Amino acid sequence: MSSWSPTKYKTKNWPSYNTALKQRGSLSIWFDLEMPWHALPTGKRGRQPEFSDAAIQACLTMKVLFGMPLRQTTGFVESLLRLAGLDWKVPDFSTLCRRQKALNVAIPYRGGSGPLHLLIDATGIKAEGEGEWNARKHGGPKKRLWRKLHLGMDEETLEIRAIGVTTSNVGDAPMLPDLLEQIPPDQEIATVIADGAYDTRRCHNVIAARGAASIIPPRKNAQLWKPTTAGAIARNEAVRACKYLGRALWRKLTGYHRRSRAETKMNCVKLLGQGLMARDFDRQVAELQIRIAVLNRYTALGIPVTEPVG
C-alpha cells in the first residue's frame, strides 16, 4: 500500500503572472483628473469638509504602502501632485488624523464569474508594545495589545470580500455572521470554508440561511445535534462522514485544503507591516481596511493559474 502524498500543482500562466509581479513594484502613480478631490457641500450646518473621502483615502494609502508618518505623507503627496502638474491642495497631518477615524474606506474588487466560494480566517495584528524578542529579553514598557483581523476571501479571484476588526478577546465564530452580511444579498454563495473554530450552531445556521454549503471540520469529540435546522442537518452529515471515512479523506473529498489560500493572504497583510501605526481603535480599523484595498489592487494585476500535476 503506497503512502499518501500531497498533490503538486503547476503554474500555467507564468508569462502574464510574472508581468503582474513586476507591475506590483512599479512606482507609477496616476491621479484621475475626474477624481472628486474636494468634498461636495453636505447641506448640514457648520463647517463643510474641504476634502473628499477619496482624497483622504488616497493620502492614507500612500502612508500605509510606504510606512510613513502623517507629516511625511503630506510632503510625499505634495511632491507627487507637483510632479503631475496639479495644483490640488493637500490635507495637512491633523486633517488626515481626524478624518481617518470616521473614514468610509472603499475596498475595490472585481468579482468572480460564478457563485462565490468564501474562505474564512482570522489572525492577530500587533497594536501596542515591544516585539516578541525585546519583550522577552528586556520586558516591554507597556502592555502588549493585539487586534484581531477577520477576513472572507473569494477563492476564484483571491480578493478579500469581507473584513472585520475586533479586540483580541473576541473569538472567531461570533464574527462569521458579520462577514456574511458584507456580501450583497443578491450574490450567490456556494460554499463557506473555515476551520474548526467556526463549528458552532450559529455559524452553521447563518451559512445555511444564505443557501451555502459549509465545509467546517467538526471537533474531535463532536456529537450529533438535533436535526431541527438546516445547519444542524448539514453539520451532522459532516460528523458522520468524518467518523466513517476519516478526517483526512473527508478533507480531500470536500476540498478543505483550499482554506490554506486564506492563510497565505494573511501573510500578505502582514507584509505591509507586522504592527499598526494608529493608536485609536477606529483609526486602526481604517488602517487595516486600507491595507485590504491595497492588496486587492495588487491581486487585480494578475494571479497564478494552476493545475494538478499527474
Side-chain angles (χ1 to χ4, degrees):
M1 182 177 179
S2 60
S3 61
W4 177 86
S5 60
T7 304
K8 296 183 179 180
Y9 293 87
K10 179 179 68 174
T11 302
K12 301 193 315 182
N13 63 332
W14 266 119
S16 60
Y17 183 48
N18 184 60
T19 302
L21 293 177
K22 291 172 60 179
Q23 289 179 348
R24 294 181 185 182
S26 174
L27 289 178
S28 300
I29 300 176
W30 298 83
F31 288 93
D32 189 357
L33 295 178
E34 298 181 358
M35 175 184 179
W37 188 264
H38 297 282
L40 299 175
T42 61
K44 300 180 180 179
R45 298 181 60 183
R47 183 180 178 182
Q48 301 297 308
E50 185 176 359
F51 302 96
S52 65
D53 283 350
I56 300 298
Q57 181 174 342
C59 295
L60 293 177
T61 297
M62 303 299 170
K63 174 182 180 296
V64 168
L65 193 57
F66 296 102
M68 298 181 297
L70 289 173
R71 290 176 174 85
Q72 293 182 13
T73 301
T74 300
F76 184 74
V77 176
E78 282 181 350
S79 63
L80 289 177
L81 293 177
R82 193 162 52 245
L83 291 173
L86 300 175
D87 58 353
W88 296 350
K89 186 178 178 181
V90 179
D92 56 36
F93 71 94
S94 61
T95 300
L96 291 176
C97 182
R98 185 181 69 255
R99 293 284 299 276
Q100 181 178 352
K101 187 173 184 178
L103 181 64
N104 184 19
V105 179
I107 301 179
Y109 65 89
R110 296 167 296 165
S113 57
L116 176 63
H117 296 271
L118 199 63
L119 312 179
I120 304 295
D121 201 5
T123 189
I125 301 290
K126 186 176 68 175
E128 288 186 19
E130 299 292 341
E132 184 74 20
W133 180 87
N134 197 21
R136 290 190 179 189
K137 184 74 174 179
H138 304 289
K142 17 168 126 167
K143 183 178 179 181
R144 299 200 302 164
L145 296 178
W146 299 81
R147 297 293 179 242
K148 209 165 187 180
L149 178 62
H150 310 260
L151 296 180
M153 190 183 78
D154 186 347
E155 182 198 358
E156 179 184 349
T157 64
L158 302 184
E159 294 176 326
I160 296 174
R161 296 291 305 274
I163 175 176
V165 182
T166 63
T167 54
S168 58
N169 60 345
V170 178
D172 296 350
M175 288 299 297
L176 180 60
D178 296 334
L179 295 177
L180 291 181
E181 287 180 359
Q182 298 180 31
I183 307 300
D186 57 347
Q187 170 72 62
E188 181 182 358
I189 303 178
T191 58
V192 176
I193 307 177
D195 59 24
Y198 297 88
D199 184 29
T200 64
R201 292 180 182 270
R202 188 184 180 192
C203 288
H204 282 282
N205 289 335
V206 296
I207 293 173
R210 288 297 300 262
S214 60
I215 303 179
I216 301 175
R219 304 176 188 273
K220 291 185 178 180
N221 59 347
Q223 302 296 326
L224 296 178
W225 293 343
K226 292 183 179 180
T228 55
T229 61
I233 295 174
R235 191 261 188 182
N236 289 343
E237 293 178 355
V239 173
R240 294 190 184 97
C242 289
K243 180 179 180 181
Y244 292 105
L245 299 177
R247 289 182 173 269
L249 184 56
W250 176 84
R251 294 183 180 187
K252 185 175 183 180
L253 293 176
T254 57
Y256 175 74
H257 63 279
R258 295 176 292 172
R259 196 189 64 85
S260 62
R261 296 181 177 179
E263 297 178 354
T264 303
K265 184 63 69 172
M266 290 295 187
N267 180 62
C268 295
V269 174
K270 294 184 179 181
L271 288 178
L272 293 175
Q274 292 287 335
L276 298 171
M277 299 183 67
R279 290 294 173 258
D280 179 79
F281 180 77
D282 293 331
R283 294 182 177 90
Q284 290 170 352
V285 173
E287 181 178 338
L288 287 172
Q289 289 176 341
I290 291 174
R291 288 193 190 186
I292 301 306
V294 170
L295 287 178
N296 279 1
R297 292 192 179 278
Y298 275 168
T299 305
L301 294 175
I303 60 176
V305 177
T306 60
E307 65 177 1
V309 177

